[in-house]
């Protein structure tokens, strides 16, 4: 039996959320899961909750994508760009290794890096990538279980 040009054979129903605001991570999750399970609020809560559960000694470093204000001399422009920032522990001390800084900024111990992360997340529109070894990733031990 032939089909009309452009007609599709019996395809399964596919769940697909279209882009709304800047919620592409939420849409991507729901599209992969093939149903609307996550809202912006739920995704935000998940991002905040693992912060206290991070097993920082298991993490080689963190890479943050942050909003970065743009200026022209002393004039602040209403344009927001994105900037990637690295955080890393060296010799038992955590540092902000932002390439825009003249020198690494000391964040201190785990409490200091957690405070920095909390402040960055509170600004909104922040993404955090964890850099871990393959072994840590496979074991999933970058999160504390307690």
């Amino acid at each position: 039996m032939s089909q009309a040009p452009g007609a599709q054979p019996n395809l399964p129903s596919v769940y697909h959320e279209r882009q709304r605001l800047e919620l592409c991570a939420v849409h991507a999750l729901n599209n992969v899961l093939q149903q609307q399970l996550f809202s912006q609020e739920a995704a935000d809560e998940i991002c905040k909750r693992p912060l206290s559960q991070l097993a920082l000694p298991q993490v080689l470093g963190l890479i943050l994508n942050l909003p970065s204000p743009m200026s022209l001399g002393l004039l602040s422009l209403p344009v927001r760009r994105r900037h990637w920032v690295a955080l890393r522990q060296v010799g038992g001390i955590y540092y902000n290794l932002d390439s825009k800084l003249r020198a690494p900024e000391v964040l201190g111990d785990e409490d200091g890096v957690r405070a920095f992360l909390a402040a960055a997340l509170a600004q909104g529109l922040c993404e955090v990538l964890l850099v871990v070894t393959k072994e840590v990733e496979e074991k999933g031990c970058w999160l504390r279980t307690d």
Side-chain angles (χ1 to χ4, degrees):
M1 183 189 259
S2 66
Q3 295 187 357
Q8 298 290 324
N10 293 332
L11 294 176
S13 174
V14 177
Y15 182 84
H16 178 250
E17 286 185 6
R18 300 230 8 200
Q19 181 72 27
R20 183 176 62 83
L21 303 173
E22 293 199 14
L23 300 176
C24 48
V26 172
H27 299 311
L29 278 169
N30 288 338
N31 287 340
V32 164
L33 297 170
Q34 284 294 285
Q35 58 184 311
Q36 185 179 0
L37 288 178
F38 289 93
S39 64
Q40 177 182 3
E41 295 77 19
D44 288 346
E45 181 57 33
I46 290 168
C47 288
K48 291 173 187 167
R49 187 179 30 177
L51 179 57
S52 64
Q53 295 175 321
L54 283 179
L56 287 171
Q58 301 295 327
V59 177
L60 286 176
L62 300 104
I63 299 176
L64 285 65
N65 188 300
L66 303 167
S68 180
M70 196 171 173
S71 62
L72 190 60
L74 297 175
L75 179 63
S76 182
L77 301 175
V79 176
R80 287 274 187 190
R81 298 182 76 182
R82 308 291 296 168
H83 181 62
W84 294 94
V85 174
L87 307 180
R88 169 82 195 232
Q89 182 191 59
V90 178
I93 300 169
Y94 285 91
Y95 294 90
N96 174 356
L97 301 172
D98 184 344
S99 60
K100 289 185 176 181
L101 297 173
R102 289 187 184 268
E105 174 185 37
V106 174
L107 299 176
D109 60 8
E110 284 191 24
D111 290 338
V113 77
R114 287 181 198 282
F116 183 89
L117 287 169
L121 288 169
Q123 290 180 28
L125 300 176
C126 172
E127 298 167 298
V128 179
L129 304 175
L130 300 179
V131 181
V132 298
T133 64
K134 184 173 179 72
E135 179 183 354
V136 167
E137 191 273 328
E138 287 173 349
K139 290 180 179 177
C141 57
W142 49 271
L143 283 179
R144 295 191 301 214
T145 56
D146 56 326

